Amino acid sequence: MAGGGEGTSGVVHVVMFPWLAFGHISPFAQLARKLVSGEAAAGVRVTFLTAAGAVQRVEAMLASAAATVRVVPLTLPHVPGLPAGAATTADLSADGAELLKLAVDGTLPEVCALLAELRPDAVLIDFATPWVCDLAAPLGARVLYFCVFSAASFAYCTVPARLAGWQHPSALTADDLTVAPAGFPAASALATVPAHQAADLTYLYTSFHGMPPVYDRVLAGVRGSAGFVMKTCREMEGPYIDYISTQYGKPVLLAGPVVPEPPEGELEERWASWISSFPEDAVIFASFGSETFLPAAVTTELLLGLEATGHPFLVVLNFPKGMDAAAEVAARVPPGFEERVKGRGLVHTGWVQQQHILRHRSVGCFVNHAGFSSVVEGLVAGCRLVLLPMKTDQYFNAALFARELRVGVEVARRDDEDGWFGRDDVRDAVAAAVAAGGDGDARKWREFFTANAVQNKFAVDFATELKEIVKR
């Protein structure tokens, strides 16, 4: 058995090292809980690496698995321009997030010492740390690349064929990115993307502060690994999984889609009281995650579109750290809006109990950014879905769910060049989603996601495949 930890006694020791963004940390934490609980639990323990400033929040995410998952803090070195105390992208601007990559790279000596001490059997890495492959090899530990995005988005953006004919990723233009790479599944509804989405994708191939672009980090991490881990399944993304495996010549271990555990406790009274004042399935809940920020003009159109539906609604907006949230909301709310929707429309900033709200009997529609976890949360809660993707992988998630799996309705974009949509497009998408038949195949997928036997099989099969790779 690989590694020098407890593998010799039959216990597989897995180190997890996600990129310091909660959109990445959360899937790693969910996988850790899955590995050490239920039928898959026997013989696996996890050490979870994260920045010292994020430990408390990560430990809370892993509280139910505290006996078998240990969180180890890393000290981020000083990087000029990076705010003191910054631990995750939630603390930073877009440029600050790029500097955070430099800080993570600077943890290499500490991670090297930790791995030598821990001598794990396997290490699960993210895109940001391909250098872990070189650290793990002398220890005999198997490195696995954990892709936290959909297989569809990974297949379109980050396979070797994407760079065919080009010497460097920076040579790729937005026009090049409007079409899928060679060999991409021919029957896919995602084989082309509009110009505004392609322009957004250029970020993946752009170098910041002299660092390798995301694309180069991904390829280095995958090529140095023993295989992939993906939080998906063949039922959802079979052709894309096969394409990725063929492109890299690596096995793909499928952990299954991450399905949220039922929330604990009760919904806060202020929300419970207001939402409960409306009939069953009447309320629209709109939320876009903690790190997707809507531009002012987009927010205004969204609010006017929700007003035009005639339904009661609750909108949650978030803004980058350091911005005056109240002032930003005031700048986005149209004149007379608050008076017109008084009693049936609320705009809130900050954290809310999203799962509790989605599962409330009066909430019937969920307008969201098509983050993979958000879509699944809304689906299993029984909400009709309206998908309003704003960046990179969200576009592919929206297309995958709405066009291929027949779950949710995408907000129509009027202009392929800039991706603009208006209030009428929001209103019409909500109307289509809540209409008879607007749920498409949602019931089928909801039953699939929530079937305990299905989820247990994913967990057991994944743990078995992981142990097999460790033994090679």
Side-chain angles (χ1 to χ4, degrees):
M1 186 171 287
E6 296 186 30
T8 53
S9 63
V11 176
V12 174
H13 181 193
V14 179
V15 167
M16 295 188 174
F17 189 9
W19 165 235
L20 299 178
F22 281 103
H24 291 244
I25 293 170
S26 180
F28 273 76
Q30 290 166 327
L31 180 59
R33 292 197 302 268
K34 182 182 285 191
L35 275 175
V36 300
S37 63
E39 295 179 31
V44 179
R45 69 184 181 93
V46 175
T47 299
F48 202 102
L49 308 185
T50 194
V55 165
Q56 186 174 4
R57 186 168 171 185
V58 172
E59 285 182 336
M61 296 168 74
L62 293 165
S64 63
T68 44
V69 180
R70 174 190 172 206
V71 181
V72 174
L74 297 175
T75 302
L76 298 180
H78 171 70
V79 172
L82 185 67
T88 71
T89 57
D91 304 321
L92 299 164
S93 65
D95 187 63
E98 299 305 322
L99 293 173
L100 187 62
K101 292 174 188 171
L102 284 173
V104 170
D105 287 343
T107 66
L108 187 152
E110 185 178 6
V111 173
C112 181
L114 275 169
L115 293 179
E117 175 190 344
L118 297 170
R119 299 195 67 81
D121 301 295
V123 185
L124 267 62
I125 64 168
D126 208 333
F127 81 93
T129 54
W131 41 264
V132 170
C133 299
D134 293 332
L135 303 183
L139 305 174
R142 300 292 189 184
V143 176
L144 292 168
Y145 183 98
F146 185 9
C147 172
V148 302
F149 301 114
S150 65
S153 63
F154 192 94
Y156 192 98
C157 300
T158 45
V159 293
R162 172 51 73 192
L163 202 56
W166 301 100
Q167 293 184 333
H168 193 273
S170 62
L172 288 169
T173 66
D175 190 55
D176 297 323
L177 298 170
T178 59
V179 294
F184 192 80
S188 172
L190 291 71
T192 61
V193 301
H196 73 94
Q197 294 182 15
D200 189 67
L201 295 178
T202 59
Y203 161 78
L204 299 172
Y205 313 94
T206 304
S207 173
F208 297 90
H209 303 289
M211 293 183 293
V214 169
Y215 179 86
D216 281 356
R217 287 182 184 259
V218 170
L219 262 67
V222 175
R223 286 170 170 164
S225 72
F228 286 93
V229 173
M230 289 192 161
K231 57 168 193 172
T232 187
C233 59
R234 292 197 168 277
E235 291 85 347
M236 295 175 65
E237 299 190 273
Y240 305 111
I241 294 165
D242 291 338
Y243 177 62
I244 292 166
S245 182
T246 299
Q247 277 282 300
Y248 282 100
K250 304 273 185 179
V252 179
L253 282 68
L254 301 176
V258 175
V259 177
E261 297 153 6
E264 298 180 354
E266 301 294 328
L267 179 60
E268 286 183 50
E269 176 56 29
R270 61 171 171 162
W271 301 124
S273 176
W274 187 81
I275 295 173
S276 296
S277 67
F278 299 102
E280 185 173 356
D281 293 334
V283 177
I284 301 167
F285 176 58
S287 180
F288 302 89
S290 60
E291 296 186 33
T292 295
F293 311 119
L294 275 59
V298 166
T299 306
T300 300
E301 292 300 313
L302 169 71
L303 295 176
L304 289 170
L306 293 175
E307 177 189 358
T309 66
H311 286 268
F313 58 87
L314 167 60
V315 181
V316 177
L317 301 174
N318 285 303
F319 303 95
K321 189 170 183 178
M323 295 183 72
D324 184 336
E328 293 300 322
V329 170
R332 288 160 168 76
V333 171
F337 174 80
E338 292 175 301
E339 186 61 32
R340 294 195 302 271
V341 301
K342 188 175 183 179
R344 73 171 180 94
L346 292 178
V347 179
H348 174 75
T349 62
W351 183 81
V352 296
Q353 297 163 286
Q354 178 162 298
Q355 280 205 64
H356 289 81
I357 291 172
L358 290 172
R359 292 169 185 247
H360 193 288
R361 62 183 297 276
S362 295
V363 175
C365 181
F366 181 29
V367 180
N368 65 87
H369 59 302
F372 205 93
S373 296
S374 290
V375 173
V376 174
E377 282 185 13
L379 180 62
V380 300
C383 294
R384 302 290 179 94
L385 302 176
V386 171
L387 308 176
L388 184 56
M390 299 303 298
K391 58 185 179 182
T392 52
D393 62 298
Q394 298 168 8
Y395 296 125
F396 295 98
N397 296 343
L400 173 71
F401 277 99
R403 301 176 209 171
E404 298 199 347
L405 305 183
R406 298 189 68 247
V407 174
V409 176
E410 295 174 273
V411 174
R413 307 286 178 139
R414 298 185 182 185
D415 190 326
D416 283 352
E417 293 297 321
D418 64 11
W420 178 252
F421 66 89
R423 64 202 70 175
D424 293 348
D425 302 304
V426 175
R427 179 201 61 201
D428 293 347
V430 170
V434 302
D439 55 347
D441 287 338
R443 177 176 294 182
K444 178 186 82 171
W445 289 108
R446 182 160 51 250
E447 290 173 353
F448 176 76
F449 288 150
T450 56
N452 287 333
V454 171
Q455 291 302 318
N456 287 338
K457 188 176 188 305
F458 283 141
V460 171
D461 288 351
F462 176 79
T464 300
E465 290 179 0
L466 175 64
K467 291 173 184 177
E468 286 299 316
I469 279 190
V470 164
K471 288 178 182 178
R472 291 174 190 169

